[in-house]
Amino acid sequence: MNSKTMEKVKRAVAVFAGISLLAYIGYQIYAISFNPYVTETAYVYDTRDTIDAKAVVIRDESYIKNSTPGTVVSIAADGKRVAKDDAVALIFSDEAGAENYNQILKIQEEIEYYQIMSNKSDVGTIDATLLDEEIKKNFDKCLDIIDKGDFADFSQSAKDVAGSITSRQIAIGTAIDFDAKITELSNELAALKGAKSNYNTISAPVSGYYISVIDGYETAANYDSVSSLMPKDVDNIIAAKPNIPSDAMGKIVGRFDWYIVCNVPTESTVGLEIDETIKVNFPNSSVGEVSAVIDTINDGGEGTSTVILRANEMSEDITHLRFEDVQIIKNEYKGYRVSNEAIRKVDGEMGVYVLSGNRIKFRKIKILYSTEEYSVVEKVNPEEEPGYLRIYDEIIIKGKDLYDGKVVG
């Protein structure tokens, strides 16, 4: 073999070796990075089947009327139960008198606060670590109230934050002279009480829950015929303009029951039963969830029905509800979340394939609830019913040639 031929052979061997090396490296990268199976882990998952709607809250409301001019100051809390002729508000002849009265109330609250703090300082040493947790908890609650725009509760929440901070200062030995502050406030209170203010007392015309705020929709629907409302009636209430009488300065809710009324797609009412007690969530309000009874479902045709729910819980926050986003909670489910693309039917059994070590196994499932994307399946005790999906199983979402007992890897 001449030298030229030898050179060509060497070059060919070198090229072949290089290609082989690149192919080997490429295969190793492929083997490491490519997994023929896409999986998800089975975890416990909570979900709800809800109907989302825009609702109007209807109560048995009557106006408290008074034609006396002046500045109104409520002395009864919103949502408080009052008897007929109970004092609910004062009308001052001028703003100065009203401001003086409000200042008296503010100083009385401050004195009460410092008295409580003074009593705490006499108790002894408190764990500062626990107080740090309390400060964080109160501060987080305050931020939640701000996020929801629920400023009715902000004042008390801010006091809770201040109180927990002061308690911590006491716990670490900071000297605070509460007696001097109480004396100072008491002197200021005495001076304010010495100033004469002219006012008239407003009393409740009937027994019920007092509400200081009026919005003009108090008579938009007839309370005694709420159950007959149809979709077009609800639309008219929502579209109506408020109408506030010029002499109205508050209202009384006469009866315990109040109604949550909303229009929903008729198909979504399947499964709802008259007189069934369910939960209704107000996601954009600090009210949160309330229990309600399904009073009536009126089919208005054209795919829309009016759902009327009856509730009787009462609080200051609830008294301020009128037009609200609601979630009617039809059912709540707790189980394992499984992507629908992983679910298969094998030999008449619904189930999924899972990776268990280097083998593929078929796990049966019992579907509780499904959406377009996923299903919630029942948590089955593996000791009582073997062969079902278990927590932390690696569910195969994508893969080819799947069968029970297949060895992989």
Short mmCIF file of all heavy atoms in Angstrom, two decimals, residues 49 51 266-274 276-278 294 297 328-331 333:
data_model
loop_
_atom_site.label_atom_id
_atom_site.label_comp_id
_atom_site.label_asym_id
_atom_site.label_seq_id
_atom_site.Cartn_x
_atom_site.Cartn_y
_atom_site.Cartn_z
N ASP A 49 -67.36 23.00 43.29
CA ASP A 49 -68.23 23.18 42.13
C ASP A 49 -69.12 24.38 42.44
O ASP A 49 -69.98 24.30 43.32
CB ASP A 49 -69.06 21.91 41.91
CG ASP A 49 -69.98 22.04 40.70
OD1 ASP A 49 -69.81 22.98 39.92
OD2 ASP A 49 -70.87 21.17 40.55
N ILE A 51 -71.32 28.12 41.25
CA ILE A 51 -72.00 28.93 40.25
C ILE A 51 -71.63 30.38 40.55
O ILE A 51 -71.95 30.89 41.64
CB ILE A 51 -73.53 28.77 40.33
CG1 ILE A 51 -73.93 27.30 40.21
CG2 ILE A 51 -74.20 29.60 39.23
CD1 ILE A 51 -75.42 27.06 40.45
N THR A 266 -79.59 28.35 33.31
CA THR A 266 -80.49 27.31 33.81
C THR A 266 -79.78 25.98 33.99
O THR A 266 -80.02 25.25 34.96
CB THR A 266 -81.69 27.15 32.87
OG1 THR A 266 -82.41 28.40 32.82
CG2 THR A 266 -82.64 26.06 33.34
N GLU A 267 -78.88 25.65 33.08
CA GLU A 267 -78.18 24.36 33.16
C GLU A 267 -77.33 24.24 34.42
O GLU A 267 -77.10 23.13 34.92
CB GLU A 267 -77.29 24.17 31.92
CG GLU A 267 -76.21 25.22 31.77
CD GLU A 267 -75.38 25.05 30.52
OE1 GLU A 267 -75.81 24.31 29.61
OE2 GLU A 267 -74.29 25.65 30.45
N SER A 268 -76.90 25.37 34.97
CA SER A 268 -76.05 25.33 36.17
C SER A 268 -76.85 25.01 37.43
O SER A 268 -76.27 24.72 38.48
CB SER A 268 -75.31 26.65 36.34
OG SER A 268 -76.21 27.69 36.71
N THR A 269 -78.18 25.09 37.35
CA THR A 269 -79.00 24.83 38.54
C THR A 269 -79.25 23.34 38.76
O THR A 269 -79.87 22.96 39.76
CB THR A 269 -80.35 25.56 38.44
OG1 THR A 269 -81.11 25.01 37.36
CG2 THR A 269 -80.16 27.04 38.23
N VAL A 270 -78.79 22.51 37.84
CA VAL A 270 -78.97 21.06 38.00
C VAL A 270 -78.27 20.62 39.29
O VAL A 270 -77.10 20.94 39.52
CB VAL A 270 -78.40 20.29 36.80
CG1 VAL A 270 -78.47 18.78 37.05
CG2 VAL A 270 -79.15 20.66 35.53
N GLY A 271 -78.97 19.89 40.12
CA GLY A 271 -78.40 19.44 41.39
C GLY A 271 -78.80 20.28 42.58
O GLY A 271 -78.66 19.84 43.73
N LEU A 272 -79.32 21.49 42.33
CA LEU A 272 -79.78 22.33 43.44
C LEU A 272 -81.19 21.90 43.84
O LEU A 272 -82.05 21.70 42.97
CB LEU A 272 -79.79 23.81 43.03
CG LEU A 272 -78.44 24.46 42.70
CD1 LEU A 272 -78.65 25.93 42.33
CD2 LEU A 272 -77.47 24.34 43.87
N GLU A 273 -81.42 21.79 45.13
CA GLU A 273 -82.72 21.35 45.63
C GLU A 273 -83.35 22.43 46.51
O GLU A 273 -82.68 23.04 47.35
CB GLU A 273 -82.56 20.07 46.47
CG GLU A 273 -81.98 18.89 45.69
CD GLU A 273 -82.95 18.33 44.66
OE1 GLU A 273 -84.17 18.58 44.80
OE2 GLU A 273 -82.49 17.65 43.71
N ILE A 274 -84.63 22.67 46.32
CA ILE A 274 -85.37 23.63 47.16
C ILE A 274 -85.29 23.20 48.62
O ILE A 274 -85.39 22.01 48.94
CB ILE A 274 -86.84 23.74 46.72
CG1 ILE A 274 -86.93 24.15 45.24
CG2 ILE A 274 -87.60 24.74 47.59
CD1 ILE A 274 -86.27 25.47 44.92
N GLU A 276 -82.70 23.14 50.38
CA GLU A 276 -81.36 22.64 50.70
C GLU A 276 -80.51 23.78 51.28
O GLU A 276 -80.57 24.92 50.81
CB GLU A 276 -80.69 22.11 49.42
CG GLU A 276 -79.24 21.68 49.60
CD GLU A 276 -78.57 21.36 48.27
OE1 GLU A 276 -79.21 21.57 47.21
OE2 GLU A 276 -77.41 20.91 48.29
N THR A 277 -79.73 23.49 52.32
CA THR A 277 -78.83 24.48 52.91
C THR A 277 -77.46 24.37 52.24
O THR A 277 -76.87 23.28 52.20
CB THR A 277 -78.68 24.27 54.42
OG1 THR A 277 -79.97 24.42 55.05
CG2 THR A 277 -77.73 25.29 55.03
N ILE A 278 -76.97 25.47 51.71
CA ILE A 278 -75.67 25.49 51.06
C ILE A 278 -74.88 26.72 51.52
O ILE A 278 -75.39 27.55 52.27
CB ILE A 278 -75.80 25.52 49.51
CG1 ILE A 278 -76.54 26.79 49.07
CG2 ILE A 278 -76.50 24.29 49.00
CD1 ILE A 278 -76.55 26.98 47.57
N ILE A 294 -81.87 27.35 49.83
CA ILE A 294 -82.41 27.60 48.50
C ILE A 294 -83.92 27.77 48.62
O ILE A 294 -84.65 26.82 48.91
CB ILE A 294 -82.06 26.46 47.53
CG1 ILE A 294 -80.54 26.30 47.41
CG2 ILE A 294 -82.67 26.73 46.15
CD1 ILE A 294 -80.11 25.12 46.59
N ILE A 297 -86.25 28.58 42.73
CA ILE A 297 -85.55 28.64 41.45
C ILE A 297 -86.61 28.87 40.38
O ILE A 297 -87.45 28.01 40.13
CB ILE A 297 -84.77 27.35 41.16
CG1 ILE A 297 -83.73 27.09 42.25
CG2 ILE A 297 -84.08 27.45 39.80
CD1 ILE A 297 -83.00 25.76 42.11
N ILE A 328 -72.11 30.50 44.46
CA ILE A 328 -72.99 29.52 45.08
C ILE A 328 -72.25 28.19 45.06
O ILE A 328 -71.94 27.65 44.00
CB ILE A 328 -74.32 29.41 44.31
CG1 ILE A 328 -75.03 30.77 44.28
CG2 ILE A 328 -75.22 28.35 44.93
CD1 ILE A 328 -76.24 30.80 43.37
N ILE A 329 -71.94 27.67 46.24
CA ILE A 329 -71.11 26.47 46.34
C ILE A 329 -72.01 25.23 46.31
O ILE A 329 -72.66 24.88 47.30
CB ILE A 329 -70.27 26.50 47.63
CG1 ILE A 329 -69.39 27.76 47.64
CG2 ILE A 329 -69.39 25.24 47.73
CD1 ILE A 329 -68.70 28.03 48.96
N LYS A 330 -72.07 24.58 45.15
CA LYS A 330 -72.93 23.41 44.99
C LYS A 330 -72.36 22.20 45.73
O LYS A 330 -73.09 21.47 46.39
CB LYS A 330 -73.09 23.08 43.50
CG LYS A 330 -73.78 24.16 42.70
CD LYS A 330 -73.81 23.83 41.21
CE LYS A 330 -74.70 22.65 40.88
NZ LYS A 330 -74.79 22.43 39.41
N ASN A 331 -71.07 22.01 45.61
CA ASN A 331 -70.41 20.88 46.27
C ASN A 331 -68.95 21.21 46.53
O ASN A 331 -68.35 22.06 45.84
CB ASN A 331 -70.48 19.61 45.41
CG ASN A 331 -71.84 18.94 45.43
OD1 ASN A 331 -72.30 18.49 46.48
ND2 ASN A 331 -72.49 18.89 44.28
N TYR A 333 -65.16 19.13 47.10
CA TYR A 333 -64.54 17.83 46.88
C TYR A 333 -63.10 17.83 47.40
O TYR A 333 -62.38 18.84 47.27
CB TYR A 333 -64.53 17.47 45.39
CG TYR A 333 -65.91 17.46 44.76
CD1 TYR A 333 -66.39 18.58 44.09
CD2 TYR A 333 -66.71 16.34 44.86
CE1 TYR A 333 -67.66 18.56 43.52
CE2 TYR A 333 -67.98 16.32 44.28
CZ TYR A 333 -68.44 17.43 43.62
OH TYR A 333 -69.69 17.43 43.06
#
